[in-house]
Coordinates of all heavy atoms in Angstrom, one line a residue:
M1 N -77.4 174.9 27.0 CA -77.4 174.0 25.8 C -76.5 172.8 26.2 O -75.5 172.9 26.8 CB -76.8 174.7 24.6 CG -76.9 174.0 23.4 SD -76.2 174.9 21.9 CE -77.0 176.5 22.0
R2 N -77.0 171.6 25.8 CA -76.3 170.3 26.1 C -76.0 169.6 24.8 O -76.7 169.6 23.8 CB -77.1 169.4 26.9 CG -77.3 169.9 28.4 CD -77.9 168.8 29.2 NE -78.0 169.1 30.6 CZ -77.0 169.1 31.5 NH1 -75.9 168.6 31.1 NH2 -77.2 169.4 32.7
C3 N -74.8 168.9 24.8 CA -74.5 168.0 23.7 C -75.5 166.8 23.7 O -75.6 166.2 24.7 CB -73.1 167.6 23.8 SG -72.6 166.3 22.6
P4 N -76.1 166.5 22.6 CA -77.1 165.4 22.6 C -76.4 164.0 22.7 O -77.1 163.1 23.0 CB -77.8 165.5 21.2 CG -76.8 166.3 20.4 CD -76.1 167.2 21.3
I5 N -75.1 164.0 22.5 CA -74.4 162.7 22.6 C -73.9 162.4 24.0 O -74.2 161.3 24.6 CB -73.3 162.6 21.6 CG1 -73.9 162.7 20.1 CG2 -72.5 161.3 21.7 CD1 -72.9 162.8 19.0
C6 N -73.2 163.3 24.6 CA -72.6 163.1 25.9 C -73.3 163.8 27.0 O -73.0 163.5 28.2 CB -71.1 163.5 25.9 SG -70.8 165.2 25.7
G7 N -74.1 164.7 26.7 CA -74.9 165.4 27.7 C -74.1 166.6 28.4 O -74.6 167.2 29.3
N8 N -72.9 166.8 28.0 CA -72.1 167.9 28.6 C -72.7 169.2 28.2 O -73.2 169.5 27.1 CB -70.6 167.9 28.1 CG -69.8 166.8 28.7 OD1 -70.2 166.2 29.7 ND2 -68.7 166.5 28.1
E9 N -72.6 170.2 29.2 CA -73.1 171.5 29.0 C -72.1 172.3 28.1 O -70.9 172.2 28.3 CB -73.2 172.2 30.3 CG -73.9 173.5 30.3 CD -75.4 173.4 30.0 OE1 -76.1 172.4 30.4 OE2 -75.9 174.3 29.3
V10 N -72.7 172.9 27.1 CA -71.9 173.8 26.2 C -72.4 175.2 26.2 O -73.6 175.4 26.4 CB -71.8 173.2 24.7 CG1 -71.1 171.9 24.7 CG2 -73.2 173.0 24.2
G11 N -71.5 176.1 26.0 CA -71.9 177.5 26.1 C -72.7 178.1 24.8 O -73.6 178.9 25.0
D12 N -72.3 177.6 23.7 CA -72.8 178.2 22.4 C -72.8 177.2 21.3 O -72.3 176.1 21.5 CB -72.2 179.5 22.0 CG -70.7 179.4 21.8 OD1 -70.2 178.2 21.7 OD2 -70.0 180.4 21.8
E13 N -73.2 177.6 20.1 CA -73.3 176.7 19.0 C -71.8 176.2 18.6 O -71.7 175.1 18.1 CB -74.0 177.3 17.8 CG -75.5 177.4 18.0 CD -76.2 177.9 16.8 OE1 -75.6 178.0 15.7 OE2 -77.4 178.3 16.9
A14 N -70.9 177.1 18.7 CA -69.5 176.7 18.3 C -69.0 175.6 19.2 O -68.4 174.7 18.7 CB -68.6 178.0 18.4
E15 N -69.2 175.7 20.5 CA -68.8 174.7 21.4 C -69.6 173.4 21.2 O -69.0 172.3 21.3 CB -69.0 175.1 22.9 CG -68.0 176.1 23.4 CD -68.3 176.4 24.9 OE1 -68.7 175.5 25.6 OE2 -68.0 177.6 25.2
L16 N -70.8 173.5 20.8 CA -71.6 172.3 20.5 C -71.1 171.6 19.3 O -70.9 170.4 19.2 CB -73.1 172.7 20.3 CG -74.0 171.6 19.8 CD1 -74.1 170.5 20.9 CD2 -75.4 172.1 19.6
M17 N -70.7 172.4 18.2 CA -70.2 171.8 17.0 C -68.8 171.2 17.3 O -68.5 170.1 16.8 CB -70.0 172.9 15.9 CG -71.4 173.4 15.4 SD -72.4 172.1 14.8 CE -71.5 171.4 13.4
A18 N -68.0 171.8 18.2 CA -66.7 171.2 18.5 C -66.9 169.9 19.2 O -66.2 168.9 19.0 CB -65.9 172.2 19.4
C19 N -67.9 169.9 20.1 CA -68.2 168.6 20.9 C -68.7 167.5 19.9 O -68.2 166.4 20.0 CB -69.2 168.9 22.0 SG -69.3 167.6 23.2
L20 N -69.6 167.9 19.0 CA -70.1 166.9 18.1 C -69.0 166.4 17.1 O -68.9 165.2 16.8 CB -71.3 167.5 17.3 CG -72.6 167.8 18.0 CD1 -73.5 168.6 17.2 CD2 -73.2 166.5 18.5
T21 N -68.1 167.3 16.7 CA -67.0 167.0 15.8 C -66.1 166.0 16.5 O -65.7 165.0 16.0 CB -66.2 168.2 15.4 OG1 -67.1 169.1 14.7 CG2 -65.0 167.8 14.5
T22 N -65.8 166.2 17.8 CA -65.0 165.3 18.6 C -65.7 163.9 18.6 O -65.0 162.9 18.5 CB -64.8 165.8 20.0 OG1 -64.1 167.1 20.0 CG2 -64.0 164.9 20.9
H23 N -67.0 163.9 18.9 CA -67.7 162.6 18.9 C -67.6 161.9 17.6 O -67.4 160.6 17.5 CB -69.1 162.8 19.3 CG -69.3 163.2 20.7 ND1 -68.8 162.6 21.8 CD2 -69.9 164.3 21.2 CE1 -69.1 163.3 22.9 NE2 -69.8 164.3 22.6
M24 N -67.7 162.6 16.5 CA -67.7 162.0 15.1 C -66.3 161.5 14.9 O -66.1 160.4 14.3 CB -68.0 163.1 14.1 CG -69.5 163.4 14.1 SD -70.1 164.7 13.0 CE -69.0 164.8 11.7
Q25 N -65.2 162.2 15.3 CA -63.9 161.7 15.1 C -63.6 160.5 15.9 O -63.0 159.5 15.4 CB -62.9 162.8 15.5 CG -62.8 164.0 14.5 CD -62.0 165.1 15.0 OE1 -61.7 165.3 16.2 NE2 -61.6 166.0 14.1
Q26 N -64.1 160.4 17.2 CA -64.0 159.2 18.0 C -64.7 158.0 17.4 O -64.1 156.9 17.4 CB -64.5 159.5 19.4 CG -63.7 160.5 20.2 CD -64.4 160.9 21.5 OE1 -65.6 160.8 21.6 NE2 -63.6 161.5 22.4
E27 N -65.8 158.3 16.8 CA -66.6 157.2 16.2 C -65.9 156.7 14.9 O -65.8 155.5 14.7 CB -68.0 157.6 15.9 CG -68.9 156.5 15.3 CD -69.1 155.3 16.2 OE1 -69.0 155.5 17.5 OE2 -69.3 154.2 15.7
A28 N -65.3 157.6 14.1 CA -64.6 157.2 12.9 C -63.4 156.4 13.3 O -63.1 155.4 12.7 CB -64.2 158.5 12.1
S29 N -62.7 156.8 14.4 CA -61.5 156.0 14.8 C -61.9 154.7 15.3 O -61.2 153.7 15.0 CB -60.8 156.8 16.0 OG -60.2 157.9 15.5
K30 N -63.0 154.6 16.0 CA -63.5 153.3 16.5 C -63.9 152.4 15.3 O -63.5 151.2 15.3 CB -64.7 153.5 17.4 CG -65.4 152.3 17.9 CD -66.6 152.6 18.8 CE -67.4 151.4 19.1 NZ -68.7 151.7 19.8
Q31 N -64.5 152.9 14.3 CA -64.9 152.1 13.2 C -63.7 151.7 12.4 O -63.6 150.6 11.9 CB -65.8 152.9 12.3 CG -67.2 153.1 12.8 CD -68.1 153.9 12.0 OE1 -67.8 154.4 10.9 NE2 -69.4 154.1 12.4
A32 N -62.7 152.5 12.3 CA -61.4 152.2 11.6 C -60.7 151.0 12.3 O -60.2 150.1 11.7 CB -60.5 153.4 11.5
R33 N -60.7 151.1 13.7 CA -60.1 150.0 14.4 C -60.9 148.7 14.2 O -60.3 147.6 14.1 CB -60.1 150.3 15.9 CG -59.0 151.3 16.3 CD -58.8 151.5 17.8 NE -60.0 151.8 18.5 CZ -60.5 153.0 18.7 NH1 -59.8 154.1 18.2 NH2 -61.6 153.2 19.4
E34 N -62.2 148.8 14.2 CA -63.1 147.6 14.0 C -62.8 147.0 12.6 O -62.7 145.8 12.4 CB -64.5 147.9 14.2 CG -65.0 147.9 15.6 CD -64.8 146.5 16.3 OE1 -65.2 145.5 15.7 OE2 -64.1 146.5 17.3
M35 N -62.7 147.9 11.6 CA -62.5 147.4 10.2 C -61.1 146.7 10.2 O -60.9 145.7 9.5 CB -62.5 148.5 9.2 CG -63.9 149.0 8.9 SD -65.0 147.7 8.4 CE -64.3 147.2 6.8
Q36 N -60.1 147.3 10.9 CA -58.8 146.7 10.9 C -58.8 145.3 11.5 O -58.2 144.4 11.0 CB -57.8 147.6 11.6 CG -56.4 147.1 11.6 CD -55.4 148.0 12.3 OE1 -55.8 148.6 13.3 NE2 -54.2 148.0 11.8
R37 N -59.6 145.2 12.6 CA -59.7 143.9 13.3 C -60.4 142.9 12.3 O -59.9 141.7 12.2 CB -60.6 144.0 14.5 CG -59.9 144.5 15.7 CD -60.7 144.5 17.0 NE -61.1 143.1 17.3 CZ -62.3 142.6 17.5 NH1 -63.4 143.4 17.3 NH2 -62.5 141.4 17.8
I38 N -61.4 143.3 11.6 CA -62.1 142.4 10.6 C -61.1 142.0 9.5 O -61.0 140.8 9.2 CB -63.3 143.1 10.1 CG1 -64.4 143.2 11.1 CG2 -63.8 142.3 8.8 CD1 -65.5 144.1 10.8
Y39 N -60.4 142.9 9.0 CA -59.4 142.6 7.9 C -58.3 141.7 8.4 O -57.9 140.7 7.8 CB -58.7 143.9 7.3 CG -59.7 144.7 6.5 CD1 -59.7 146.0 6.6 CD2 -60.5 144.1 5.6 CE1 -60.6 146.8 5.8 CE2 -61.4 144.8 4.8 CZ -61.4 146.2 4.9 OH -62.2 146.9 4.1
L40 N -57.8 141.9 9.7 CA -56.8 141.0 10.2 C -57.4 139.6 10.4 O -56.6 138.6 10.2 CB -56.3 141.6 11.5 CG -55.4 142.8 11.4 CD1 -55.1 143.4 12.8 CD2 -54.1 142.5 10.7
M41 N -58.6 139.5 10.9 CA -59.2 138.2 11.0 C -59.3 137.5 9.7 O -59.1 136.3 9.6 CB -60.6 138.3 11.7 CG -60.5 138.7 13.1 SD -59.7 137.5 14.2 CE -60.8 136.1 14.1
L42 N -59.7 138.2 8.6 CA -59.8 137.6 7.3 C -58.4 137.2 6.8 O -58.3 136.1 6.3 CB -60.4 138.6 6.3 CG -61.9 138.9 6.4 CD1 -62.3 140.1 5.6 CD2 -62.7 137.6 6.1
M43 N -57.4 138.0 7.1 CA -56.1 137.6 6.7 C -55.6 136.4 7.4 O -55.0 135.5 6.8 CB -55.1 138.8 6.9 CG -55.4 140.0 5.9 SD -54.5 141.5 6.3 CE -52.8 140.9 6.0
A44 N -55.9 136.4 8.7 CA -55.5 135.2 9.5 C -56.2 133.9 9.0 O -55.5 132.9 8.9 CB -55.8 135.4 11.0
S45 N -57.4 134.1 8.6 CA -58.2 132.9 8.1 C -57.6 132.5 6.8 O -57.4 131.3 6.5 CB -59.6 133.3 7.9 OG -60.3 132.3 7.2
Q46 N -57.3 133.4 5.9 CA -56.7 133.1 4.6 C -55.3 132.5 4.8 O -54.9 131.5 4.1 CB -56.6 134.3 3.7 CG -58.0 134.7 3.3 CD -58.0 136.1 2.5 OE1 -57.0 136.8 2.6 NE2 -59.0 136.3 1.7
L47 N -54.5 133.0 5.7 CA -53.2 132.4 5.9 C -53.3 131.0 6.4 O -52.6 130.1 6.0 CB -52.4 133.3 6.9 CG -51.1 132.8 7.4 CD1 -50.1 132.6 6.3 CD2 -50.5 133.7 8.5
T48 N -54.2 130.8 7.3 CA -54.4 129.5 7.9 C -54.9 128.5 6.8 O -54.3 127.4 6.7 CB -55.5 129.5 9.0 OG1 -55.1 130.4 10.0 CG2 -55.8 128.1 9.6
M49 N -55.8 128.9 5.9 CA -56.3 128.0 4.8 C -55.1 127.8 3.9 O -55.0 126.6 3.4 CB -57.5 128.7 4.1 CG -58.7 128.7 4.9 SD -59.2 127.1 5.5 CE -59.6 126.3 4.0
A50 N -54.3 128.8 3.5 CA -53.2 128.6 2.6 C -52.2 127.6 3.2 O -51.7 126.7 2.5 CB -52.6 129.9 2.3
C51 N -51.9 127.7 4.4 CA -50.9 126.8 5.1 C -51.5 125.4 5.1 O -50.7 124.4 4.8 CB -50.6 127.3 6.5 SG -49.7 128.8 6.5
V52 N -52.7 125.2 5.5 CA -53.3 123.9 5.6 C -53.4 123.2 4.3 O -53.1 122.1 4.1 CB -54.7 124.0 6.3 CG1 -55.4 122.7 6.2 CG2 -54.5 124.4 7.8
T53 N -53.9 124.0 3.3 CA -54.1 123.3 2.0 C -52.8 123.1 1.2 O -52.8 122.1 0.4 CB -55.1 124.2 1.1 OG1 -54.6 125.5 0.9 CG2 -56.5 124.2 1.7
T54 N -51.8 123.9 1.4 CA -50.6 123.7 0.6 C -49.5 123.0 1.4 O -48.5 122.6 0.8 CB -50.1 125.1 0.1 OG1 -49.7 125.9 1.2 CG2 -51.1 125.8 -0.8
G55 N -49.7 122.9 2.7 CA -48.6 122.3 3.5 C -47.4 123.2 3.6 O -46.3 122.7 3.9
T56 N -47.5 124.5 3.4 CA -46.4 125.4 3.5 C -46.4 126.1 4.9 O -47.4 126.2 5.5 CB -46.5 126.5 2.4 OG1 -47.7 126.6 1.9 CG2 -45.4 126.4 1.4
T57 N -45.3 126.7 5.2 CA -45.2 127.4 6.5 C -45.8 128.8 6.4 O -45.9 129.3 5.3 CB -43.7 127.6 6.9 OG1 -43.1 128.5 6.0 CG2 -43.0 126.3 6.9
P58 N -46.3 129.3 7.5 CA -46.8 130.7 7.5 C -45.8 131.7 6.9 O -46.2 132.6 6.2 CB -47.1 130.9 8.9 CG -47.4 129.6 9.5 CD -46.4 128.7 8.8
Q59 N -44.5 131.5 7.2 CA -43.5 132.4 6.7 C -43.5 132.4 5.2 O -43.3 133.5 4.6 CB -42.1 132.1 7.3 CG -42.0 132.3 8.8 CD -42.5 131.1 9.6 OE1 -43.0 130.1 9.1 NE2 -42.4 131.3 10.9
D60 N -43.5 131.2 4.6 CA -43.5 131.1 3.1 C -44.8 131.8 2.5 O -44.7 132.5 1.5 CB -43.4 129.7 2.7 CG -42.1 129.1 2.9 OD1 -41.1 129.8 3.2 OD2 -42.0 127.8 2.9
V61 N -45.9 131.5 3.2 CA -47.2 132.1 2.6 C -47.1 133.7 2.7 O -47.4 134.4 1.8 CB -48.4 131.6 3.4 CG1 -49.7 132.3 3.0 CG2 -48.5 130.1 3.1
V62 N -46.7 134.2 3.9 CA -46.6 135.6 4.1 C -45.5 136.2 3.1 O -45.7 137.3 2.5 CB -46.2 136.0 5.5 CG1 -45.9 137.4 5.7 CG2 -47.4 135.6 6.4
G63 N -44.4 135.5 2.9 CA -43.4 136.0 2.0 C -44.0 136.1 0.6 O -43.8 137.1 -0.1
T64 N -44.7 135.1 0.1 CA -45.4 135.1 -1.2 C -46.4 136.2 -1.3 O -46.4 137.0 -2.2 CB -46.0 133.7 -1.5 OG1 -45.0 132.7 -1.4 CG2 -46.7 133.8 -2.8
F65 N -47.2 136.4 -0.2 CA -48.1 137.5 -0.2 C -47.4 138.8 -0.4 O -47.9 139.7 -1.1 CB -48.9 137.5 1.1 CG -49.8 138.7 1.3 CD1 -51.0 138.7 0.7 CD2 -49.4 139.8 2.0 CE1 -51.8 139.8 0.8 CE2 -50.2 140.9 2.2 CZ -51.4 140.9 1.6
G66 N -46.3 139.0 0.3 CA -45.6 140.3 0.2 C -45.1 140.5 -1.2 O -45.2 141.6 -1.7
Q67 N -44.6 139.5 -1.9 CA -44.2 139.6 -3.3 C -45.3 140.0 -4.2 O -45.2 140.8 -5.0 CB -43.5 138.3 -3.7 CG -42.2 138.1 -3.0 CD -41.7 136.7 -3.3 OE1 -42.3 135.9 -4.1 NE2 -40.6 136.3 -2.7
V68 N -46.5 139.3 -4.0 CA -47.6 139.5 -4.9 C -48.2 140.9 -4.6 O -48.6 141.6 -5.5 CB -48.7 138.4 -4.7 CG1 -50.0 138.8 -5.4 CG2 -48.2 137.1 -5.1
Y69 N -48.2 141.3 -3.3 CA -48.7 142.6 -3.0 C -47.9 143.7 -3.6 O -48.4 144.7 -4.2 CB -48.8 142.8 -1.5 CG -49.4 144.1 -1.0 CD1 -50.8 144.2 -1.0 CD2 -48.6 145.2 -0.7 CE1 -51.4 145.4 -0.6 CE2 -49.2 146.4 -0.3 CZ -50.6 146.5 -0.3 OH -51.1 147.7 0.1
E70 N -46.6 143.5 -3.5 CA -45.6 144.5 -4.2 C -45.9 144.6 -5.7 O -45.9 145.7 -6.2 CB -44.2 144.0 -3.9 CG -43.1 145.0 -4.3 CD -41.8 144.5 -3.9 OE1 -41.5 144.2 -2.7 OE2 -40.9 144.4 -4.8
L71 N -46.1 143.4 -6.3 CA -46.5 143.4 -7.7 C -47.7 144.2 -8.0 O -47.8 145.1 -8.9 CB -46.6 142.0 -8.2 CG -47.2 141.9 -9.7 CD1 -46.3 142.4 -10.7 CD2 -47.6 140.4 -9.9
M72 N -48.8 144.0 -7.2 CA -50.0 144.6 -7.4 C -49.9 146.2 -7.2 O -50.4 146.9 -8.0 CB -51.1 144.1 -6.5 CG -51.5 142.7 -6.7 SD -52.2 142.4 -8.3 CE -51.0 141.2 -9.0
E73 N -49.1 146.6 -6.2 CA -48.9 148.0 -6.0 C -48.2 148.6 -7.2 O -48.5 149.7 -7.6 CB -48.0 148.2 -4.8 CG -48.8 148.0 -3.5 CD -49.7 149.2 -3.2 OE1 -49.2 150.3 -3.2 OE2 -50.9 149.0 -3.0
S74 N -47.3 147.9 -7.8 CA -46.5 148.4 -8.9 C -47.4 148.5 -10.2 O -47.0 149.2 -11.1 CB -45.3 147.5 -9.2 OG -45.6 146.3 -9.8
L75 N -48.5 147.8 -10.2 CA -49.4 147.8 -11.4 C -50.4 148.9 -11.4 O -51.0 149.2 -12.5 CB -50.1 146.5 -11.5 CG -49.2 145.2 -11.8 CD1 -50.0 144.0 -11.8 CD2 -48.4 145.4 -13.0
V76 N -50.5 149.6 -10.3 CA -51.5 150.7 -10.2 C -51.2 151.7 -11.3 O -50.1 152.2 -11.4 CB -51.6 151.3 -8.8 CG1 -52.5 152.5 -8.8 CG2 -52.0 150.3 -7.8
G77 N -52.2 152.0 -12.1 CA -52.1 153.0 -13.1 C -51.4 152.6 -14.4 O -51.3 153.3 -15.4
K78 N -51.0 151.3 -14.5 CA -50.4 150.9 -15.7 C -51.4 150.4 -16.7 O -52.5 149.8 -16.2 CB -49.3 149.8 -15.4 CG -48.1 150.3 -14.7 CD -47.0 149.3 -14.7 CE -45.8 149.9 -14.0 NZ -44.7 148.9 -13.9
A79 N -51.2 150.5 -18.0 CA -52.2 150.1 -19.0 C -52.2 148.6 -19.3 O -53.2 148.0 -19.4 CB -51.9 150.9 -20.3
N80 N -51.0 148.0 -19.5 CA -50.9 146.6 -19.9 C -50.6 145.7 -18.7 O -49.5 145.1 -18.6 CB -49.9 146.5 -21.0 CG -50.0 145.2 -21.7 OD1 -50.9 144.3 -21.4 ND2 -49.2 145.0 -22.8
V81 N -51.6 145.5 -17.8 CA -51.4 144.8 -16.6 C -51.1 143.3 -16.9 O -50.3 142.7 -16.3 CB -52.6 145.0 -15.7 CG1 -52.6 144.0 -14.5 CG2 -52.8 146.4 -15.3
N82 N -51.8 142.7 -17.9 CA -51.7 141.3 -18.2 C -50.2 141.0 -18.5 O -49.7 140.0 -18.0 CB -52.6 140.9 -19.3 CG -54.0 140.8 -18.9 OD1 -54.3 140.8 -17.7 ND2 -54.9 140.8 -19.9
S83 N -49.6 141.7 -19.4 CA -48.2 141.4 -19.8 C -47.3 141.6 -18.6 O -46.3 140.9 -18.5 CB -47.8 142.2 -21.0 OG -47.7 143.6 -20.7
E84 N -47.5 142.6 -17.8 CA -46.7 142.8 -16.6 C -46.8 141.6 -15.6 O -45.7 141.2 -15.1 CB -47.2 144.1 -15.8 CG -47.0 145.4 -16.5 CD -45.6 146.0 -16.4 OE1 -44.9 145.6 -15.5 OE2 -45.2 146.8 -17.2
I85 N -48.0 141.1 -15.5 CA -48.1 139.9 -14.6 C -47.5 138.7 -15.2 O -46.8 137.9 -14.5 CB -49.6 139.7 -14.3 CG1 -50.2 140.8 -13.4 CG2 -49.8 138.3 -13.6 CD1 -51.7 140.7 -13.2
E86 N -47.6 138.5 -16.5 CA -47.0 137.4 -17.2 C -45.5 137.5 -17.1 O -44.8 136.5 -16.8 CB -47.4 137.4 -18.7 CG -48.8 136.9 -18.9 CD -49.3 137.0 -20.3 OE1 -48.5 137.3 -21.2 OE2 -50.5 136.8 -20.5
D87 N -44.9 138.7 -17.3 CA -43.4 138.9 -17.1 C -43.0 138.5 -15.7 O -42.0 137.9 -15.5 CB -43.0 140.3 -17.4 CG -43.2 140.6 -18.9 OD1 -43.3 139.7 -19.7 OD2 -43.1 141.8 -19.3
W88 N -43.8 139.0 -14.7 CA -43.4 138.7 -13.3 C -43.5 137.2 -13.0 O -42.6 136.7 -12.4 CB -44.4 139.5 -12.4 CG -44.2 139.3 -10.9 CD1 -43.3 140.0 -10.2 CD2 -44.8 138.4 -10.0 NE1 -43.3 139.6 -8.9 CE2 -44.2 138.6 -8.8 CE3 -45.7 137.4 -10.2 CZ2 -44.6 137.8 -7.7 CZ3 -46.1 136.6 -9.1 CH2 -45.5 136.9 -7.8
L89 N -44.5 136.5 -13.5 CA -44.6 135.1 -13.3 C -43.4 134.4 -14.0 O -42.9 133.4 -13.4 CB -45.9 134.6 -13.9 CG -47.2 135.0 -13.1 CD1 -48.4 134.6 -13.8 CD2 -47.1 134.3 -11.7
K90 N -43.1 134.8 -15.2 CA -41.9 134.1 -15.9 C -40.6 134.3 -15.1 O -39.9 133.4 -14.9 CB -41.7 134.7 -17.3 CG -42.8 134.3 -18.3 CD -42.6 135.0 -19.6 CE -43.8 134.7 -20.5 NZ -43.7 135.4 -21.8
K91 N -40.4 135.5 -14.6 CA -39.2 135.8 -13.8 C -39.2 135.0 -12.5 O -38.2 134.4 -12.1 CB -39.1 137.3 -13.4 CG -38.8 138.2 -14.6 CD -38.8 139.6 -14.2 CE -38.7 140.5 -15.4 NZ -38.9 142.0 -15.1
R92 N -40.4 134.9 -11.9 CA -40.5 134.1 -10.6 C -40.3 132.7 -10.9 O -39.6 132.0 -10.1 CB -41.9 134.4 -10.0 CG -42.0 133.7 -8.7 CD -43.4 134.0 -8.1 NE -43.7 133.1 -7.0 CZ -43.5 133.3 -5.8 NH1 -43.1 134.4 -5.3 NH2 -43.8 132.3 -4.9
K93 N -40.8 132.1 -12.0 CA -40.7 130.7 -12.3 C -39.2 130.4 -12.6 O -38.7 129.4 -12.2 CB -41.5 130.3 -13.5 CG -41.5 128.9 -13.9 CD -42.4 128.5 -15.0 CE -42.4 127.0 -15.3 NZ -43.3 126.7 -16.3
S94 N -38.5 131.3 -13.4 CA -37.1 131.1 -13.7 C -36.2 131.2 -12.4 O -35.3 130.4 -12.3 CB -36.6 132.0 -14.8 OG -36.6 133.3 -14.3
S95 N -36.6 132.1 -11.5 CA -35.8 132.2 -10.3 C -36.1 131.0 -9.3 O -35.2 130.5 -8.7 CB -36.0 133.5 -9.6 OG -37.3 133.5 -9.0
D96 N -37.3 130.5 -9.3 CA -37.6 129.3 -8.5 C -37.0 128.1 -9.0 O -36.5 127.3 -8.3 CB -39.2 129.1 -8.5 CG -39.9 130.1 -7.6 OD1 -39.2 130.9 -6.8 OD2 -41.1 130.2 -7.6
S97 N -36.9 127.9 -10.4 CA -36.3 126.7 -10.9 C -34.8 126.8 -10.8 O -34.1 125.8 -10.7 CB -36.7 126.5 -12.4 OG -36.3 127.6 -13.2
G98 N -34.2 128.0 -10.7 CA -32.8 128.2 -10.5 C -32.4 127.9 -9.1 O -31.2 127.5 -8.9
E99 N -33.3 128.0 -8.2 CA -33.0 127.7 -6.8 C -33.0 126.2 -6.6 O -32.3 125.6 -5.7 CB -34.0 128.3 -5.8 CG -33.9 129.8 -5.7 CD -35.0 130.4 -4.9 OE1 -35.8 129.7 -4.3 OE2 -35.1 131.6 -4.8
N100 N -33.8 125.4 -7.3 CA -33.9 124.0 -7.1 C -32.8 123.2 -7.8 O -32.2 123.3 -8.6 CB -35.3 123.5 -7.6 CG -36.4 124.0 -6.8 OD1 -36.2 124.3 -5.6 ND2 -37.6 124.2 -7.3

């Protein structure tokens, strides 16, 4: 009996299933890496556009992204998301005006 994917000889159905499972895991890992590459390219594109359109440094854009991402993570499962975002924006505005 041979594995239909790699052609290796296998002794029984259990070995065949193990070989097929290995191929499926390898393919899933490959697809995960490809998706990560795609997401990184999208993020790089967005970072570039944000820097070009706002005239800000990549560090500032990434810093802001980190803050917003942290906010979004904290909102998961909360009921009143709008007021949480409004409060966050007010705090951010007051801290930004306090720096200037």
Side-chain angles (χ1 to χ4, degrees):
M1 184 181 312
R2 289 189 176 280
C3 173
I5 296 174
C6 65
N8 285 344
E9 190 67 36
V10 291
D12 58 17
E13 287 184 17
E15 285 183 33
L16 177 60
M17 290 307 295
C19 194
L20 291 172
T21 300
T22 299
H23 294 304
M24 289 174 25
Q25 290 171 340
Q26 291 169 342
E27 185 61 27
S29 293
K30 179 182 170 187
Q31 288 178 1
R33 285 190 306 274
E34 278 300 308
M35 287 303 296
Q36 184 180 35
R37 280 187 62 238
I38 290 168
Y39 288 138
L40 288 172
M41 290 297 291
L42 287 170
M43 290 171 64
S45 173
Q46 290 174 340
L47 174 60
T48 301
M49 290 303 295
C51 292
V52 168
T53 57
T54 63
T56 15
T57 67
Q59 292 83 359
D60 289 343
V61 173
V62 170
T64 301
F65 173 82
Q67 292 170 1
V68 172
Y69 185 82
E70 189 176 302
L71 169 67
M72 295 299 118
E73 283 286 307
S74 73
L75 296 176
V76 173
K78 291 192 176 177
N80 196 354
V81 173
N82 287 342
S83 68
E84 294 275 344
I85 292 172
E86 288 173 6
D87 290 345
W88 182 83
L89 288 170
K90 287 176 188 173
K91 289 176 190 172
R92 183 175 164 101
K93 185 175 181 180
S94 67
S95 71
D96 286 349
S97 63
E99 291 175 3
N100 293 332

